[in-house]
Amino acid sequence: MKTIIEPFRIKSVEPIRMTERPERTKLLEEAGLNLFLLNADDVIIDLLTDSGTSSMSAMQWAAIMKGDESYAGSRSYHEFEQEVRNLTGFEFVIPVHQGRAAEKILFTVLDRPNSPNSANAVYLGNTHFDTTRANIEFTGAKAFDLPIPEGLVPAKRHPFKGNIDLVRLEAGLKEHSDNVRAVILTVTNNSGGGQPVSMANIRAASELAKSHGVLFVLDSCRFAENAYFIQQREPGFADKSVFEIAQEMFSYADATTMSAKKDGLANIGGFLALNNSELAMASRNLLILTEGFPTYGGLAGRDLEAVAQGLREVVDEDYLRYRVRSVEYLADKLEGGEVPLILPAGGHAVYLDAGGFLPHIPPSQFPGQVLANELYLHGGVRGVEIGSVMFGKTDETGAHVGPPMELVRLAIPRRVYTQSHVDFVAEVVLEVFARREELRGLEMTYQAPYLRHFTARFRSI
Ligand code: F0G
């Protein structure tokens, strides 16, 4: 059969509150024209993120009932540790409440504040996610994004648009020599369009990092989607299982930071896993200060159970086929209407090219935010801006410096929405596209020093 169906039945539902444009206009005004500041009940289709928004399976809910809530040495921790070890091959498995806690711990232990070169510390990656970059910059280090050139051209198709540029990586490793704290590959590359990284690229980046004595880290939030793309697209992997491919991906890394809120199919949780015992000890010491004892790390035993079961389910290939196809289905509909977007579709989201959608609005007037807001006003659909609001800065002269792309991400929560929900989203985007010339820019009236997109407020120009 050509139709790929959701490989699950729905057992429990959550009602959606319907709203109309006048109410949404008032609500968005009150939220300072920032979609993060809306109440979720005021959103019809919530595509803000695929993080922590998955529907859990009956098996996960069952696993939750056997959560062992002991402070130290809980059975649920051992179950979790075993599952993460099987998948990643790493010896030391450190649970955390979510991905950024793993980042905070890892970058703090890699920071050497008393070394003479600490001010020159750098990290090199394909594209650092916002929390990754913020946690790096918080230690005083710099994060350089080195995507392949194709990764920066939305309409250009490439099977592995998430790859790191190996020539620039090698040059960066030479230029910064002793000061590179780690090379980080984000799979899939979220800020670059949810695009996969090939096994060949992972292997080559790992070899380069090792030859310079630098730690090689995978940010593995969406490892299963990445492994599925490798199976489908990279020569030599068609006959391997997604689980085997994932194991091979991890085998090239020295450490991984993982937000189990994505491909862990859990609503909370994550881990840092690694092989170096000294780094593991330093990480655990810090974990005790910030997250909790090493056998629960900011999570309840039941959460550890949900993640362990989620990691087993996410490599199911019927699930992944449905997952990747349901995102591609939305992209196909939009591409059919000539809406500018990143092609091919990402693993977890469709990324609208707001720069191409609204060419009359300059980056300094936040075209991505304008577009995201209009999708909400028009149809109650909430996406997220990934552009000048999230990554833009003002230089010494007061001029706006934007990132290479102005995007709006429509992230699809796992196992949550049906095909008719996705049809509705496509209709909303196409209708907004038809009247795009009417849209006007925004001015930012408040911003916080870090991760400003979460709390910024705006005014229409
Ligand atoms: N790394 C990547 C690639 C991510 O996408 C995220 C989170 C994190 C790290 C941090 O994980 O949220 O569990 O602390 N991404 C979410 C998103 C928030 O919407 O893409 P976290």
Side-chain angles (χ1 to χ4, degrees), residues 92-128:
F92 302 105
V93 177
I94 301 174
V96 293
H97 79 279
Q98 62 182 76
R100 70 197 70 181
E103 294 170 349
K104 170 81 184 159
I105 289 171
L106 181 64
F107 305 145
T108 305
V109 301
L110 292 178
D111 188 22
R112 298 190 285 271
N114 299 325
S115 98
N117 287 331
S118 68
N120 302 321
V122 306
Y123 288 78
L124 306 175
N126 48 352
T127 310
H128 297 81

PDB file of all heavy atoms in Angstrom, residues 92-128:
ATOM      1  N   PHE A  92      29.752   5.388  31.325  1.00  0.00           N
ATOM      2  CA  PHE A  92      29.203   6.216  32.406  1.00  0.00           C
ATOM      3  C   PHE A  92      27.929   6.915  31.930  1.00  0.00           C
ATOM      4  O   PHE A  92      27.960   7.669  30.964  1.00  0.00           O
ATOM      5  CB  PHE A  92      30.241   7.242  32.869  1.00  0.00           C
ATOM      6  CG  PHE A  92      31.512   6.597  33.329  1.00  0.00           C
ATOM      7  CD1 PHE A  92      32.655   6.629  32.531  1.00  0.00           C
ATOM      8  CD2 PHE A  92      31.567   5.903  34.534  1.00  0.00           C
ATOM      9  CE1 PHE A  92      33.821   6.011  32.936  1.00  0.00           C
ATOM     10  CE2 PHE A  92      32.729   5.273  34.946  1.00  0.00           C
ATOM     11  CZ  PHE A  92      33.862   5.325  34.150  1.00  0.00           C
ATOM     12  N   VAL A  93      26.846   6.659  32.615  1.00  0.00           N
ATOM     13  CA  VAL A  93      25.532   7.176  32.210  1.00  0.00           C
ATOM     14  C   VAL A  93      25.006   8.059  33.337  1.00  0.00           C
ATOM     15  O   VAL A  93      24.753   7.584  34.440  1.00  0.00           O
ATOM     16  CB  VAL A  93      24.556   6.023  31.929  1.00  0.00           C
ATOM     17  CG1 VAL A  93      23.182   6.554  31.589  1.00  0.00           C
ATOM     18  CG2 VAL A  93      25.083   5.135  30.806  1.00  0.00           C
ATOM     19  N   ILE A  94      24.883   9.344  33.030  1.00  0.00           N
ATOM     20  CA  ILE A  94      24.557  10.327  34.058  1.00  0.00           C
ATOM     21  C   ILE A  94      23.193  10.937  33.737  1.00  0.00           C
ATOM     22  O   ILE A  94      23.060  11.687  32.757  1.00  0.00           O
ATOM     23  CB  ILE A  94      25.663  11.410  34.093  1.00  0.00           C
ATOM     24  CG1 ILE A  94      27.003  10.721  34.397  1.00  0.00           C
ATOM     25  CG2 ILE A  94      25.346  12.512  35.087  1.00  0.00           C
ATOM     26  CD1 ILE A  94      28.199  11.627  34.311  1.00  0.00           C
ATOM     27  N   PRO A  95      22.164  10.600  34.500  1.00  0.00           N
ATOM     28  CA  PRO A  95      20.835  11.126  34.180  1.00  0.00           C
ATOM     29  C   PRO A  95      20.720  12.610  34.545  1.00  0.00           C
ATOM     30  O   PRO A  95      21.312  13.060  35.533  1.00  0.00           O
ATOM     31  CB  PRO A  95      19.896  10.290  35.061  1.00  0.00           C
ATOM     32  CG  PRO A  95      20.740   9.807  36.185  1.00  0.00           C
ATOM     33  CD  PRO A  95      22.162   9.758  35.703  1.00  0.00           C
ATOM     34  N   VAL A  96      19.981  13.343  33.740  1.00  0.00           N
ATOM     35  CA  VAL A  96      19.717  14.764  34.021  1.00  0.00           C
ATOM     36  C   VAL A  96      18.251  15.048  33.688  1.00  0.00           C
ATOM     37  O   VAL A  96      17.621  14.256  32.990  1.00  0.00           O
ATOM     38  CB  VAL A  96      20.614  15.706  33.175  1.00  0.00           C
ATOM     39  CG1 VAL A  96      22.076  15.588  33.580  1.00  0.00           C
ATOM     40  CG2 VAL A  96      20.452  15.436  31.688  1.00  0.00           C
ATOM     41  N   HIS A  97      17.747  16.189  34.161  1.00  0.00           N
ATOM     42  CA  HIS A  97      16.318  16.428  33.941  1.00  0.00           C
ATOM     43  C   HIS A  97      15.997  16.810  32.509  1.00  0.00           C
ATOM     44  O   HIS A  97      14.895  16.579  32.040  1.00  0.00           O
ATOM     45  CB  HIS A  97      15.762  17.440  34.947  1.00  0.00           C
ATOM     46  CG  HIS A  97      16.074  18.862  34.614  1.00  0.00           C
ATOM     47  ND1 HIS A  97      17.288  19.458  34.895  1.00  0.00           N
ATOM     48  CD2 HIS A  97      15.334  19.818  34.001  1.00  0.00           C
ATOM     49  CE1 HIS A  97      17.263  20.710  34.477  1.00  0.00           C
ATOM     50  NE2 HIS A  97      16.100  20.953  33.933  1.00  0.00           N
ATOM     51  N   GLN A  98      16.946  17.397  31.785  1.00  0.00           N
ATOM     52  CA  GLN A  98      16.760  17.625  30.345  1.00  0.00           C
ATOM     53  C   GLN A  98      18.092  17.958  29.699  1.00  0.00           C
ATOM     54  O   GLN A  98      19.101  18.109  30.380  1.00  0.00           O
ATOM     55  CB  GLN A  98      15.697  18.684  30.062  1.00  0.00           C
ATOM     56  CG  GLN A  98      15.956  20.074  30.586  1.00  0.00           C
ATOM     57  CD  GLN A  98      14.784  21.007  30.266  1.00  0.00           C
ATOM     58  OE1 GLN A  98      13.757  20.948  30.905  1.00  0.00           O
ATOM     59  NE2 GLN A  98      14.934  21.848  29.255  1.00  0.00           N
ATOM     60  N   GLY A  99      18.085  18.077  28.367  1.00  0.00           N
ATOM     61  CA  GLY A  99      19.337  18.197  27.623  1.00  0.00           C
ATOM     62  C   GLY A  99      20.256  19.309  28.085  1.00  0.00           C
ATOM     63  O   GLY A  99      21.468  19.118  28.209  1.00  0.00           O
ATOM     64  N   ARG A 100      19.705  20.467  28.355  1.00  0.00           N
ATOM     65  CA  ARG A 100      20.584  21.595  28.680  1.00  0.00           C
ATOM     66  C   ARG A 100      21.306  21.409  29.998  1.00  0.00           C
ATOM     67  O   ARG A 100      22.360  22.026  30.215  1.00  0.00           O
ATOM     68  CB  ARG A 100      19.810  22.917  28.622  1.00  0.00           C
ATOM     69  CG  ARG A 100      18.811  23.119  29.705  1.00  0.00           C
ATOM     70  CD  ARG A 100      17.824  24.200  29.351  1.00  0.00           C
ATOM     71  NE  ARG A 100      16.925  23.764  28.282  1.00  0.00           N
ATOM     72  CZ  ARG A 100      15.965  24.528  27.749  1.00  0.00           C
ATOM     73  NH1 ARG A 100      15.783  25.757  28.166  1.00  0.00           N
ATOM     74  NH2 ARG A 100      15.180  24.050  26.805  1.00  0.00           N
ATOM     75  N   ALA A 101      20.777  20.575  30.878  1.00  0.00           N
ATOM     76  CA  ALA A 101      21.475  20.290  32.130  1.00  0.00           C
ATOM     77  C   ALA A 101      22.739  19.482  31.829  1.00  0.00           C
ATOM     78  O   ALA A 101      23.797  19.702  32.442  1.00  0.00           O
ATOM     79  CB  ALA A 101      20.560  19.529  33.080  1.00  0.00           C
ATOM     80  N   ALA A 102      22.646  18.574  30.855  1.00  0.00           N
ATOM     81  CA  ALA A 102      23.830  17.816  30.429  1.00  0.00           C
ATOM     82  C   ALA A 102      24.861  18.767  29.814  1.00  0.00           C
ATOM     83  O   ALA A 102      26.065  18.652  30.066  1.00  0.00           O
ATOM     84  CB  ALA A 102      23.422  16.740  29.427  1.00  0.00           C
ATOM     85  N   GLU A 103      24.375  19.725  29.025  1.00  0.00           N
ATOM     86  CA  GLU A 103      25.289  20.693  28.394  1.00  0.00           C
ATOM     87  C   GLU A 103      25.983  21.538  29.462  1.00  0.00           C
ATOM     88  O   GLU A 103      27.202  21.722  29.434  1.00  0.00           O
ATOM     89  CB  GLU A 103      24.497  21.643  27.483  1.00  0.00           C
ATOM     90  CG  GLU A 103      23.862  20.960  26.278  1.00  0.00           C
ATOM     91  CD  GLU A 103      22.882  21.860  25.533  1.00  0.00           C
ATOM     92  OE1 GLU A 103      22.502  22.944  26.031  1.00  0.00           O
ATOM     93  OE2 GLU A 103      22.479  21.451  24.427  1.00  0.00           O
ATOM     94  N   LYS A 104      25.203  22.019  30.388  1.00  0.00           N
ATOM     95  CA  LYS A 104      25.740  22.895  31.440  1.00  0.00           C
ATOM     96  C   LYS A 104      26.854  22.170  32.207  1.00  0.00           C
ATOM     97  O   LYS A 104      27.917  22.732  32.486  1.00  0.00           O
ATOM     98  CB  LYS A 104      24.590  23.282  32.384  1.00  0.00           C
ATOM     99  CG  LYS A 104      24.989  23.990  33.644  1.00  0.00           C
ATOM    100  CD  LYS A 104      25.228  25.453  33.396  1.00  0.00           C
ATOM    101  CE  LYS A 104      25.725  26.131  34.655  1.00  0.00           C
ATOM    102  NZ  LYS A 104      26.419  27.372  34.339  1.00  0.00           N
ATOM    103  N   ILE A 105      26.598  20.894  32.542  1.00  0.00           N
ATOM    104  CA  ILE A 105      27.576  20.121  33.301  1.00  0.00           C
ATOM    105  C   ILE A 105      28.823  19.860  32.457  1.00  0.00           C
ATOM    106  O   ILE A 105      29.947  20.098  32.884  1.00  0.00           O
ATOM    107  CB  ILE A 105      26.939  18.805  33.804  1.00  0.00           C
ATOM    108  CG1 ILE A 105      25.933  19.139  34.910  1.00  0.00           C
ATOM    109  CG2 ILE A 105      27.992  17.822  34.302  1.00  0.00           C
ATOM    110  CD1 ILE A 105      25.078  17.971  35.356  1.00  0.00           C
ATOM    111  N   LEU A 106      28.620  19.410  31.224  1.00  0.00           N
ATOM    112  CA  LEU A 106      29.776  19.070  30.385  1.00  0.00           C
ATOM    113  C   LEU A 106      30.643  20.300  30.114  1.00  0.00           C
ATOM    114  O   LEU A 106      31.868  20.250  30.270  1.00  0.00           O
ATOM    115  CB  LEU A 106      29.305  18.432  29.064  1.00  0.00           C
ATOM    116  CG  LEU A 106      30.441  18.025  28.120  1.00  0.00           C
ATOM    117  CD1 LEU A 106      31.309  16.923  28.727  1.00  0.00           C
ATOM    118  CD2 LEU A 106      29.888  17.544  26.771  1.00  0.00           C
ATOM    119  N   PHE A 107      30.023  21.426  29.751  1.00  0.00           N
ATOM    120  CA  PHE A 107      30.837  22.595  29.408  1.00  0.00           C
ATOM    121  C   PHE A 107      31.489  23.194  30.651  1.00  0.00           C
ATOM    122  O   PHE A 107      32.552  23.802  30.561  1.00  0.00           O
ATOM    123  CB  PHE A 107      30.020  23.653  28.648  1.00  0.00           C
ATOM    124  CG  PHE A 107      29.346  23.105  27.413  1.00  0.00           C
ATOM    125  CD1 PHE A 107      28.100  23.556  26.999  1.00  0.00           C
ATOM    126  CD2 PHE A 107      29.959  22.103  26.670  1.00  0.00           C
ATOM    127  CE1 PHE A 107      27.483  23.031  25.866  1.00  0.00           C
ATOM    128  CE2 PHE A 107      29.349  21.565  25.545  1.00  0.00           C
ATOM    129  CZ  PHE A 107      28.106  22.034  25.146  1.00  0.00           C
ATOM    130  N   THR A 108      30.871  22.996  31.795  1.00  0.00           N
ATOM    131  CA  THR A 108      31.504  23.500  33.031  1.00  0.00           C
ATOM    132  C   THR A 108      32.730  22.649  33.360  1.00  0.00           C
ATOM    133  O   THR A 108      33.773  23.200  33.728  1.00  0.00           O
ATOM    134  CB  THR A 108      30.490  23.469  34.198  1.00  0.00           C
ATOM    135  OG1 THR A 108      29.336  24.203  33.804  1.00  0.00           O
ATOM    136  CG2 THR A 108      31.071  24.084  35.454  1.00  0.00           C
ATOM    137  N   VAL A 109      32.633  21.322  33.203  1.00  0.00           N
ATOM    138  CA  VAL A 109      33.820  20.512  33.527  1.00  0.00           C
ATOM    139  C   VAL A 109      34.911  20.657  32.463  1.00  0.00           C
ATOM    140  O   VAL A 109      36.089  20.473  32.765  1.00  0.00           O
ATOM    141  CB  VAL A 109      33.497  19.011  33.802  1.00  0.00           C
ATOM    142  CG1 VAL A 109      32.538  18.854  34.946  1.00  0.00           C
ATOM    143  CG2 VAL A 109      32.978  18.301  32.582  1.00  0.00           C
ATOM    144  N   LEU A 110      34.519  21.005  31.228  1.00  0.00           N
ATOM    145  CA  LEU A 110      35.545  21.207  30.192  1.00  0.00           C
ATOM    146  C   LEU A 110      36.190  22.591  30.291  1.00  0.00           C
ATOM    147  O   LEU A 110      37.263  22.828  29.719  1.00  0.00           O
ATOM    148  CB  LEU A 110      34.945  21.047  28.783  1.00  0.00           C
ATOM    149  CG  LEU A 110      34.493  19.636  28.387  1.00  0.00           C
ATOM    150  CD1 LEU A 110      33.870  19.663  26.988  1.00  0.00           C
ATOM    151  CD2 LEU A 110      35.661  18.655  28.429  1.00  0.00           C
ATOM    152  N   ASP A 111      35.552  23.485  31.008  1.00  0.00           N
ATOM    153  CA  ASP A 111      36.069  24.844  31.176  1.00  0.00           C
ATOM    154  C   ASP A 111      37.290  24.758  32.084  1.00  0.00           C
ATOM    155  O   ASP A 111      37.287  24.035  33.066  1.00  0.00           O
ATOM    156  CB  ASP A 111      34.965  25.687  31.842  1.00  0.00           C
ATOM    157  CG  ASP A 111      35.327  27.153  31.885  1.00  0.00           C
ATOM    158  OD1 ASP A 111      36.172  27.586  31.078  1.00  0.00           O
ATOM    159  OD2 ASP A 111      34.754  27.862  32.728  1.00  0.00           O
ATOM    160  N   ARG A 112      38.332  25.486  31.727  1.00  0.00           N
ATOM    161  CA  ARG A 112      39.500  25.498  32.610  1.00  0.00           C
ATOM    162  C   ARG A 112      39.792  26.957  32.935  1.00  0.00           C
ATOM    163  O   ARG A 112      40.692  27.569  32.346  1.00  0.00           O
ATOM    164  CB  ARG A 112      40.698  24.835  31.916  1.00  0.00           C
ATOM    165  CG  ARG A 112      40.425  23.363  31.592  1.00  0.00           C
ATOM    166  CD  ARG A 112      41.673  22.639  31.134  1.00  0.00           C
ATOM    167  NE  ARG A 112      42.056  22.988  29.765  1.00  0.00           N
ATOM    168  CZ  ARG A 112      41.614  22.356  28.666  1.00  0.00           C
ATOM    169  NH1 ARG A 112      40.767  21.364  28.767  1.00  0.00           N
ATOM    170  NH2 ARG A 112      42.035  22.724  27.483  1.00  0.00           N
ATOM    171  N   PRO A 113      39.005  27.524  33.856  1.00  0.00           N
ATOM    172  CA  PRO A 113      39.045  28.980  34.044  1.00  0.00           C
ATOM    173  C   PRO A 113      40.406  29.514  34.473  1.00  0.00           C
ATOM    174  O   PRO A 113      40.717  30.665  34.220  1.00  0.00           O
ATOM    175  CB  PRO A 113      37.978  29.233  35.117  1.00  0.00           C
ATOM    176  CG  PRO A 113      37.641  27.911  35.701  1.00  0.00           C
ATOM    177  CD  PRO A 113      38.051  26.852  34.733  1.00  0.00           C
ATOM    178  N   ASN A 114      41.248  28.641  35.090  1.00  0.00           N
ATOM    179  CA  ASN A 114      42.548  29.162  35.534  1.00  0.00           C
ATOM    180  C   ASN A 114      43.662  28.964  34.513  1.00  0.00           C
ATOM    181  O   ASN A 114      44.790  29.352  34.759  1.00  0.00           O
ATOM    182  CB  ASN A 114      42.938  28.512  36.872  1.00  0.00           C
ATOM    183  CG  ASN A 114      41.885  28.842  37.933  1.00  0.00           C
ATOM    184  OD1 ASN A 114      41.320  29.942  37.911  1.00  0.00           O
ATOM    185  ND2 ASN A 114      41.598  27.891  38.803  1.00  0.00           N
ATOM    186  N   SER A 115      43.330  28.348  33.364  1.00  0.00           N
ATOM    187  CA  SER A 115      44.391  28.146  32.380  1.00  0.00           C
ATOM    188  C   SER A 115      44.622  29.469  31.646  1.00  0.00           C
ATOM    189  O   SER A 115      43.696  30.259  31.445  1.00  0.00           O
ATOM    190  CB  SER A 115      44.021  27.033  31.408  1.00  0.00           C
ATOM    191  OG  SER A 115      43.505  27.580  30.219  1.00  0.00           O
ATOM    192  N   PRO A 116      45.900  29.718  31.230  1.00  0.00           N
ATOM    193  CA  PRO A 116      46.202  31.015  30.593  1.00  0.00           C
ATOM    194  C   PRO A 116      45.392  31.245  29.330  1.00  0.00           C
ATOM    195  O   PRO A 116      45.167  32.381  28.930  1.00  0.00           O
ATOM    196  CB  PRO A 116      47.704  30.923  30.288  1.00  0.00           C
ATOM    197  CG  PRO A 116      48.158  29.561  30.688  1.00  0.00           C
ATOM    198  CD  PRO A 116      47.061  28.852  31.393  1.00  0.00           C
ATOM    199  N   ASN A 117      44.934  30.154  28.685  1.00  0.00           N
ATOM    200  CA  ASN A 117      44.224  30.315  27.414  1.00  0.00           C
ATOM    201  C   ASN A 117      42.710  30.322  27.549  1.00  0.00           C
ATOM    202  O   ASN A 117      42.014  30.305  26.534  1.00  0.00           O
ATOM    203  CB  ASN A 117      44.609  29.157  26.482  1.00  0.00           C
ATOM    204  CG  ASN A 117      46.014  29.329  25.969  1.00  0.00           C
ATOM    205  OD1 ASN A 117      46.477  30.457  25.849  1.00  0.00           O
ATOM    206  ND2 ASN A 117      46.682  28.225  25.702  1.00  0.00           N
ATOM    207  N   SER A 118      42.204  30.300  28.766  1.00  0.00           N
ATOM    208  CA  SER A 118      40.760  30.079  28.910  1.00  0.00           C
ATOM    209  C   SER A 118      39.931  31.109  28.139  1.00  0.00           C
ATOM    210  O   SER A 118      38.862  30.791  27.631  1.00  0.00           O
ATOM    211  CB  SER A 118      40.367  30.052  30.377  1.00  0.00           C
ATOM    212  OG  SER A 118      40.535  31.323  30.913  1.00  0.00           O
ATOM    213  N   ALA A 119      40.465  32.329  28.014  1.00  0.00           N
ATOM    214  CA  ALA A 119      39.696  33.371  27.312  1.00  0.00           C
ATOM    215  C   ALA A 119      39.548  33.049  25.835  1.00  0.00           C
ATOM    216  O   ALA A 119      38.693  33.604  25.156  1.00  0.00           O
ATOM    217  CB  ALA A 119      40.376  34.722  27.483  1.00  0.00           C
ATOM    218  N   ASN A 120      40.404  32.142  25.322  1.00  0.00           N
ATOM    219  CA  ASN A 120      40.349  31.820  23.893  1.00  0.00           C
ATOM    220  C   ASN A 120      39.651  30.502  23.610  1.00  0.00           C
ATOM    221  O   ASN A 120      39.736  29.991  22.505  1.00  0.00           O
ATOM    222  CB  ASN A 120      41.775  31.732  23.328  1.00  0.00           C
ATOM    223  CG  ASN A 120      42.523  33.036  23.543  1.00  0.00           C
ATOM    224  OD1 ASN A 120      41.936  34.109  23.414  1.00  0.00           O
ATOM    225  ND2 ASN A 120      43.779  32.959  23.901  1.00  0.00           N
ATOM    226  N   ALA A 121      38.992  29.935  24.630  1.00  0.00           N
ATOM    227  CA  ALA A 121      38.373  28.617  24.453  1.00  0.00           C
ATOM    228  C   ALA A 121      37.310  28.653  23.362  1.00  0.00           C
ATOM    229  O   ALA A 121      36.544  29.616  23.273  1.00  0.00           O
ATOM    230  CB  ALA A 121      37.750  28.151  25.759  1.00  0.00           C
ATOM    231  N   VAL A 122      37.295  27.621  22.531  1.00  0.00           N
ATOM    232  CA  VAL A 122      36.275  27.558  21.479  1.00  0.00           C
ATOM    233  C   VAL A 122      35.685  26.149  21.369  1.00  0.00           C
ATOM    234  O   VAL A 122      36.302  25.160  21.767  1.00  0.00           O
ATOM    235  CB  VAL A 122      36.810  27.964  20.078  1.00  0.00           C
ATOM    236  CG1 VAL A 122      37.467  29.311  20.081  1.00  0.00           C
ATOM    237  CG2 VAL A 122      37.757  26.937  19.512  1.00  0.00           C
ATOM    238  N   TYR A 123      34.489  26.100  20.801  1.00  0.00           N
ATOM    239  CA  TYR A 123      33.811  24.857  20.442  1.00  0.00           C
ATOM    240  C   TYR A 123      33.484  24.951  18.954  1.00  0.00           C
ATOM    241  O   TYR A 123      33.119  26.024  18.473  1.00  0.00           O
ATOM    242  CB  TYR A 123      32.508  24.703  21.229  1.00  0.00           C
ATOM    243  CG  TYR A 123      32.729  24.382  22.697  1.00  0.00           C
ATOM    244  CD1 TYR A 123      33.092  25.375  23.599  1.00  0.00           C
ATOM    245  CD2 TYR A 123      32.586  23.077  23.158  1.00  0.00           C
ATOM    246  CE1 TYR A 123      33.312  25.080  24.940  1.00  0.00           C
ATOM    247  CE2 TYR A 123      32.798  22.769  24.497  1.00  0.00           C
ATOM    248  CZ  TYR A 123      33.164  23.770  25.385  1.00  0.00           C
ATOM    249  OH  TYR A 123      33.380  23.464  26.699  1.00  0.00           O
ATOM    250  N   LEU A 124      33.636  23.830  18.238  1.00  0.00           N
ATOM    251  CA  LEU A 124      33.334  23.801  16.809  1.00  0.00           C
ATOM    252  C   LEU A 124      32.215  22.788  16.576  1.00  0.00           C
ATOM    253  O   LEU A 124      32.264  21.681  17.123  1.00  0.00           O
ATOM    254  CB  LEU A 124      34.583  23.376  16.017  1.00  0.00           C
ATOM    255  CG  LEU A 124      35.865  24.192  16.276  1.00  0.00           C
ATOM    256  CD1 LEU A 124      37.051  23.571  15.524  1.00  0.00           C
ATOM    257  CD2 LEU A 124      35.689  25.654  15.840  1.00  0.00           C
ATOM    258  N   GLY A 125      31.224  23.179  15.782  1.00  0.00           N
ATOM    259  CA  GLY A 125      30.111  22.245  15.552  1.00  0.00           C
ATOM    260  C   GLY A 125      29.461  22.471  14.203  1.00  0.00           C
ATOM    261  O   GLY A 125      29.809  23.426  13.492  1.00  0.00           O
ATOM    262  N   ASN A 126      28.498  21.601  13.831  1.00  0.00           N
ATOM    263  CA  ASN A 126      27.769  21.836  12.574  1.00  0.00           C
ATOM    264  C   ASN A 126      26.875  23.071  12.750  1.00  0.00           C
ATOM    265  O   ASN A 126      27.037  24.063  12.058  1.00  0.00           O
ATOM    266  CB  ASN A 126      27.006  20.589  12.084  1.00  0.00           C
ATOM    267  CG  ASN A 126      26.174  19.898  13.141  1.00  0.00           C
ATOM    268  OD1 ASN A 126      26.240  20.220  14.332  1.00  0.00           O
ATOM    269  ND2 ASN A 126      25.382  18.933  12.716  1.00  0.00           N
ATOM    270  N   THR A 127      25.930  23.032  13.700  1.00  0.00           N
ATOM    271  CA  THR A 127      25.239  24.259  14.128  1.00  0.00           C
ATOM    272  C   THR A 127      24.849  24.034  15.577  1.00  0.00           C
ATOM    273  O   THR A 127      24.132  23.079  15.889  1.00  0.00           O
ATOM    274  CB  THR A 127      23.970  24.537  13.301  1.00  0.00           C
ATOM    275  OG1 THR A 127      24.278  24.453  11.904  1.00  0.00           O
ATOM    276  CG2 THR A 127      23.422  25.928  13.589  1.00  0.00           C
ATOM    277  N   HIS A 128      25.333  24.875  16.459  1.00  0.00           N
ATOM    278  CA  HIS A 128      25.001  24.725  17.881  1.00  0.00           C
ATOM    279  C   HIS A 128      23.554  25.139  18.105  1.00  0.00           C
ATOM    280  O   HIS A 128      23.118  26.189  17.624  1.00  0.00           O
ATOM    281  CB  HIS A 128      25.907  25.616  18.738  1.00  0.00           C
ATOM    282  CG  HIS A 128      27.364  25.245  18.652  1.00  0.00           C
ATOM    283  ND1 HIS A 128      28.166  25.639  17.612  1.00  0.00           N
ATOM    284  CD2 HIS A 128      28.135  24.514  19.483  1.00  0.00           C
ATOM    285  CE1 HIS A 128      29.384  25.149  17.810  1.00  0.00           C
ATOM    286  NE2 HIS A 128      29.397  24.468  18.929  1.00  0.00           N
TER     287      HIS A 128
END
